Amino acid sequence: MKISTKIWILVTLVLSLAALAIKLYFLPAAERFSRLTVEEQMVRDMESFEKILGVVVTAAKGDKEYVRRAFSAIHADKSIPIEFRRSEFLHRQFGRRKDKEPKNEFEALVLSSGNPQFRTTDKFIEYAYPLKAQGVCMGCHVDTAGKSIPFGSPVGLAVRRVPLTAVTDSRIAYFTLDLFWENFGLVLVSVLLVLLPIFLWILRPIRLMAE
């Protein structure tokens, strides 16, 4: 077998193994990294949102109607991508509303457990975050017997949905996926440009001399 043929076979094998490693390891790892980045941002946004709600309640100074109007305005504002669900305590206190009940088993489980969770649907990444009773909440949320909601128990649930396209359209996804493929293509072209002169100016003359 000619030396040039061996070199081409070796280069093809190395590039094929590199492409296989990229497909099986790097691309899934990059997608997981992009997804974790989106989820971490959702967690930070929800924690900030909970703090804002606490500021609203504190500023109300016991004015229940002010708090209800503020929360209703937040819920109705379509530019705020967060939905509220009521706990059973709030349903008993204010009356049951179908539009404020958990929409599925996932939301009901998070509300009952008090632990925030993610899940993925066909189109969205969903984050359900229990809003737990703080000291400022206990003065307003009382049952028919006059007993305050227990400290730390879920008052309600905040749910946010982010389209799955947010993972692939993020800037991090660009740098880890698109930019990587661009660089890989440049490396491939560079290898070919290096091998071509070697073939034309070294291997080919040696073969002609041998003949």
Side-chain angles (χ1 to χ4, degrees):
M1 185 180 293
K2 298 178 181 179
I3 296 178
S4 59
T5 304
K6 292 180 179 180
I7 292 176
W8 285 113
I9 292 175
L10 179 61
V11 170
T12 303
L13 181 61
V14 170
L15 293 177
S16 299
L17 291 175
L20 188 62
I22 290 169
K23 181 178 181 180
L24 297 180
Y25 174 76
F26 181 82
L27 293 182
E31 184 176 351
R32 286 194 300 270
F33 177 74
S34 298
R35 181 189 178 90
L36 286 175
T37 302
V38 172
E39 290 181 351
E40 288 176 0
Q41 185 61 52
M42 293 174 71
V43 170
R44 288 193 294 268
D45 290 346
M46 197 67 82
E47 290 174 349
S48 298
F49 180 72
E50 184 180 31
K51 292 178 181 179
I52 292 172
L53 295 181
V55 170
V56 171
V57 175
T58 302
K61 297 181 178 180
D63 189 341
K64 299 179 182 179
E65 288 302 317
Y66 174 85
V67 175
R68 293 185 67 178
R69 289 196 304 271
F71 281 22
S72 296
I74 293 172
H75 180 71
D77 191 336
K78 301 302 181 183
S79 66
I80 301 176
I82 296 176
E83 300 178 10
F84 288 129
R85 309 284 187 258
R86 284 182 177 178
S87 65
E88 284 300 318
F89 191 99
L90 264 63
H91 281 305
R92 291 193 298 268
Q93 183 180 7
F94 298 115
R96 186 170 296 277
R97 286 181 52 177
K98 296 290 291 184
D99 62 325
K100 296 293 183 69
E101 292 182 345
K103 301 301 183 184
N104 47 59
E105 293 183 1
F106 167 71
E107 294 182 3
L109 176 63
V110 174
L111 187 57
S112 63
S113 67
N115 298 317
Q117 291 186 31
F118 282 96
R119 79 162 183 172
T120 303
T121 64
D122 294 339
K123 296 181 180 179
F124 297 97
I125 299 173
E126 294 185 1
Y127 183 49
Y129 184 85
L131 301 170
K132 297 182 179 180
Q134 306 297 320
V136 70
C137 308
M138 300 174 70
C140 296
H141 294 302
V142 294
D143 59 19
T144 54
K147 185 178 179 181
S148 298
I149 187 171
F151 182 84
S153 64
V155 180
L157 193 70
V159 181
R160 185 180 180 190
R161 296 180 180 87
V162 171
L164 287 175
T165 53
V167 176
T168 55
D169 293 345
S170 67
R171 293 181 179 179
I172 293 178
Y174 168 74
F175 282 106
T176 56
L177 297 176
D178 295 352
L179 192 60
F180 179 85
W181 278 116
E182 292 174 5
N183 290 333
F184 183 76
L186 290 175
V187 170
L188 178 61
V189 172
S190 299
V191 170
L192 294 177
L193 290 177
V194 170
L195 290 177
L196 185 60
I198 293 175
F199 175 76
L200 293 177
W201 299 335
I202 299 176
L203 297 179
R204 189 177 181 183
I206 292 177
R207 186 184 64 182
L208 294 175
M209 291 175 60
E211 292 177 352

